[in-house]
Amino acid sequence: MDPVRTSRSAPTDRYANDLGRLRPATVAFLGRPRDLLIDGAWVPAASGQRFEVRDPSSDQVLTRCAAGDAIDVDRAVAAARRAFEGEWSRVKPCERERLMHRLADLIEAHADELAELEALDNGKSVLMARHVDLKHAIEVWRYMAGWPTKLEGKTLPISGTLVPGHQYAAFSMLEPIGVVGAVIAWNFPLLLATWKCAPALAAGCTVVLKPAEETPLTALRLGELVMEAGFPKGVFNVVTGLGPTAGAALVAHPGVDKITFTGSTEVGRLVVQGAAHNMKKVTVELGGKSPAIVLEDANLDLAIPGAASAIFFNQGQVCCAGSRLYVARKLFDRVLEGVAEQARGLKLGPGLDAEAQVGPLVSSIQRDRVLRYIGLGLQRGARAVIGGHAVESSGYYVEPTVFTNVSADMEIVQEEIFGPVVVAQPFDDLEEIARTANDTIYGLAASIWSRDLNRVFQLAPKLRAGTVWVNCHNVLDPTMPFGGYKQSGWGRELGGESVRSYLESKSLCINVAG
Ligand code: NAD
């Protein structure tokens, strides 16, 4: 099949991507067979099976990727183990840094093409992909590239009193955990791959990456760039495939030392159970239902667009999206109307349309899930101030939606919708809002909008969330650890904390009298 030609014959839907405008590099990438990267070579799945990858703006098939399963995962893990114990273990820290910087340079050189692939595959705006996903991914590769030569152990002031008369010297050393299995979600495909793979490689681990089946394209392009950068074969492997087959096989594989997972809390539970078999180390970054809290002294010129972008950025498909909006009662009507106004002004369109501000959701399944939640909200008496419908299109669009008249027991208030849907409620005082904000199973993030630092410092410590933003939302940085309290996960991405999670600590104790 010629994926581009097939898609060119897409319906003349004004919300569908115009694939005639794709860069030649993107067309060439889509035209190559999309196989697995195992031991430095591109190979089809052992079963020969493939799965379709669709353009969310039009439902047209873009390409077909190898559907890896347990046999392919086994081959990839074996290759990662060989590399870990062999060539990669001999690569000096300064050389690891150099390889990672070279990869960052290659990603930067191909950033426009990668952004286009991401927009095509995920539905997000190509501008956002370039200025958020790619920019951040490059920064993270560079930040992580600085770590290999700084992974220092400690000299320990040992007393050694248990065996009198002896004298000891003791040290702690940091060593890479080993083979890492990385399973990721579809909302920020290259960025999430980077959050996992960059610190793992910096620590000296080897990796088998299983991207989401909805969005495997940039992980495959990353695999090409890793090989071009000169990493030894087997250090970085990519197995595309479905969650319950390829994903579950990687999670359960006895040859994997650590699983790092980003996805839903529901699948996260399965991952924790699957990893328990050989007691793998586990990091899980899961769902969220993050509150954006507007206090009565907030600067509304900042808070209203901020609250709108907290939920509508990336079509609301953001783990830390501000999907619950709480506003001091006296400001409630103004903020509600302001956020609805912002939603009304957003331009819908496909990822390749540089002017589009709201794109399609990633899949028909995701669209139907979001519409089911909207239906549930309406049934339970919530009022949609704006939105509440799918968009007439062959793509997977849902209107930005703002609900009011909601109560804490509603599904739309408690559960992660993962779409452009926000629930808005008024509150009266700080104690009440702290309790309400914490009243879900999640604890990923929160934002406070206020000019009063005293109130900010009263409220922030009460919020059970891994990140609290003040007068901003969805701000990420390579230096700033990101992760969840409660059922939003275990562990942290980014920062030194992330690198540390790919390292073991070994104590070395020497009897100096011996
Ligand atoms: P998902 O849990 O359905 O899938 C995530 C990944 O797990 C995919 O690669 C999938 O193939 C794989 N998978 C599915 N079943 C599996 C199984 N049985 N065993 C092993 N792997 C399996 O999540 P999704 O729908 O792709 O992503 C959306 C979710 O991700 C949301 O809940 C969102 O909040 C969360 N997320 C969290 C963060 C964070 O940092 N906390 C970041 C992005 C997304």
Side-chain angles (χ1 to χ4, degrees):
M1 184 197 68
D2 172 348
V4 176
R5 218 190 41 224
T6 305
S7 299
R8 274 214 190 102
S9 63
T12 46
D13 177 340
R14 70 189 172 112
Y15 293 123
N17 275 319
D18 172 5
L19 299 189
R21 291 165 49 190
L22 285 178
R23 289 163 184 274
T26 310
V27 176
F29 177 85
L30 290 173
R32 294 198 283 279
R34 300 281 36 115
D35 287 336
L36 314 174
L37 176 60
I38 297 179
D39 210 11
W42 293 98
V43 293
S47 67
Q49 296 293 310
R50 291 188 176 270
F51 63 94
E52 290 175 343
V53 178
R54 287 175 183 270
D55 174 350
S57 76
S58 64
D59 195 38
Q60 296 293 300
V61 174
L62 287 168
T63 187
R64 290 177 169 79
C65 285
D69 63 18
I71 298 174
D72 306 292
V73 165
D74 200 42
R75 286 191 297 164
V77 171
R81 174 66 53 194
R82 278 194 302 279
F84 179 70
E85 289 173 2
E87 198 176 345
W88 190 232
S89 68
R90 294 187 289 276
V91 173
K92 304 283 184 230
C94 61
E95 176 63 6
R96 282 213 305 279
E97 288 191 356
R98 208 167 60 80
L99 285 166
M100 290 179 69
H101 275 299
R102 201 183 294 155
L103 177 60
D105 290 345
L106 281 170
I107 295 172
E108 190 161 38
H110 293 276
D112 291 335
E113 170 200 339
L114 282 158
E116 194 167 82
L117 272 181
E118 207 74 302
L120 204 54
D121 205 8
N122 169 276
K124 67 177 65 200
S125 138
V126 68
L127 275 191
M128 284 294 161
R130 180 65 187 85
H131 295 295
V132 179
D133 300 50
L134 263 296
K135 187 166 189 284
H136 179 67
I138 294 161
E139 285 177 1
V140 173
W141 278 105
R142 296 225 164 95
Y143 168 86
M144 293 296 172
W147 272 103
T149 52
K150 285 128 199 130
L151 300 175
E152 298 167 349
K154 287 181 180 159
T155 306
L156 306 171
I158 183 171
S159 298
T161 57
L162 296 183
V163 189
H166 284 245
Q167 215 182 320
Y168 303 93
F171 308 91
S172 70
M173 299 159 63
L174 296 176
E175 296 182 344
I177 276 184
V179 174
V180 170
V183 179
I184 55 170
W186 44 255
N187 55 338
F188 292 91
L190 184 74
L191 193 154
L192 294 180
T194 298
W195 280 13
K196 311 288 190 195
C197 301
L201 295 176
C205 296
T206 55
V207 175
V208 178
L209 170 65
K210 207 298 278 174
E213 48 271 50
E214 294 85 352
T215 55
L217 300 184
T218 47
L220 293 168
R221 187 71 184 105
L222 179 66
E224 293 181 344
L225 297 178
V226 167
M227 298 319 298
E228 194 178 330
F231 283 78
K233 65 180 189 178
V235 170
F236 182 74
N237 306 273
V238 184
V239 177
T240 49
L242 307 186
T245 48
L250 187 56
V251 166
H253 200 290
V256 172
D257 301 293
K258 167 166 177 147
I259 277 289
T260 175
F261 171 82
T262 295
S264 59
T265 296
E266 194 185 351
V267 176
R269 274 191 206 101
L270 297 176
V271 167
V272 168
Q273 284 160 12
H277 180 67
N278 71 330
M279 297 301 284
K280 291 176 183 68
K281 308 289 186 280
V282 179
T283 296
V284 283
E285 294 295 343
L286 308 175
K289 190 77 180 172
S290 300
I293 304 167
V294 181
L295 302 188
E296 63 182 32
D297 57 78
N299 173 355
L300 294 191
D301 291 341
L302 207 60
I304 289 173
S309 126
I311 181 62
F312 300 129
F313 168 59
N314 214 43
Q315 294 65 252
Q317 300 167 128
V318 179
C319 51
C320 49
S323 50
R324 290 181 295 148
L325 173 61
Y326 296 109
V327 185
R329 193 171 297 278
K330 76 171 196 191
L331 298 180
F332 185 72
D333 290 344
R334 270 169 73 195
V335 173
L336 184 69
E337 183 42 44
V339 171
E341 197 53 46
Q342 295 270 327
R344 205 169 286 126
L346 293 171
K347 180 174 184 287
L348 252 66
L352 298 186
D353 174 353
E355 283 169 20
Q357 292 161 302
V358 174
L361 301 188
V362 74
S363 64
S364 57
I365 293 177
Q366 188 62 17
R367 177 197 54 201
D368 295 348
R369 175 191 154 93
V370 172
L371 291 175
R372 185 175 61 79
Y373 272 112
I374 290 177
L376 267 174
L378 294 170
Q379 251 176 44
R380 303 274 318 264
R383 181 168 72 84
V385 180
I386 187 163
H389 305 98
V391 174
E392 188 77 27
S393 159
S394 47
Y396 317 133
Y397 293 87
V398 174
E399 292 171 351
T401 299
V402 179
F403 272 121
T404 186
N405 282 4
V406 295
S407 57
D409 61 337
M410 290 182 182
E411 294 84 351
I412 56 169
V413 175
Q414 290 296 326
E415 297 175 21
E416 184 181 45
I417 299 175
F418 222 54
V421 181
V422 63
V423 292
Q425 275 180 284
F427 68 88
D428 293 301
D429 65 64
L430 281 192
E431 280 305 321
E432 175 204 342
I433 190 53
R435 266 195 317 276
T436 310
N438 289 333
D439 181 27
T440 73
I441 61 167
Y442 298 110
L444 194 54
S447 61
I448 304 172
W449 300 81
S450 169
R451 284 186 271 217
D452 182 343
L453 268 186
N454 284 342
R455 295 166 133 245
V456 167
F457 276 108
Q458 280 166 29
L459 183 55
K462 295 193 171 98
L463 297 176
R464 308 251 311 134
T467 300
V468 177
W469 289 293
V470 179
N471 295 326
C472 57
H473 199 111
N474 287 337
V475 175
L476 298 169
D477 189 86
T479 61
M480 205 164 64
F482 179 80
Y485 282 35
K486 301 194 281 179
Q487 296 187 35
S488 287
W490 295 348
R492 293 291 178 268
E493 307 277 24
L494 301 174
E497 267 190 66
S498 158
V499 185
R500 184 66 187 81
S501 76
Y502 293 93
L503 293 162
E504 291 278 19
S505 163
K506 178 180 280 176
S507 295
L508 185 67
C509 177
I510 302 167
N511 179 352
V512 294

